[in-house]
Amino acid sequence: MNDMRRAPAAMLVGDDWRASANGQTFDVVNPATGEVMTSLPEAGTADVEAAVAAAAQALPAWSG
């Protein structure tokens, strides 16, 4: 059985695991039991902008 408590409770943006910029999270719930398995960061606009910037920075190396 996959144990969600082992999953990083952060977002990978570029090379960095981080919490959401606004600090908000959401619960991942097992639909069979209703048990909260873990909480994950809820990405906002700043997080999306950081991810797009990291992708743009990585593009030259990936396109080569």
Side-chain angles (χ1 to χ4, degrees):
M1 175 182 277
N2 189 6
D3 188 350
M4 288 294 297
R5 291 169 290 207
R6 293 183 182 181
M11 297 181 289
L12 181 61
V13 177
D15 293 330
D16 299 319
W17 286 100
R18 59 175 80 174
S20 62
N22 61 16
Q24 293 182 334
T25 61
F26 66 94
D27 292 336
V28 177
V29 177
N30 180 331
T33 65
E35 173 191 13
V36 174
M37 297 166 47
T38 192
S39 293
L40 297 173
E42 186 172 325
T45 303
D47 302 304
V48 173
E49 290 172 352
V52 169
Q57 185 176 11
L59 179 63
W62 278 87
S63 66

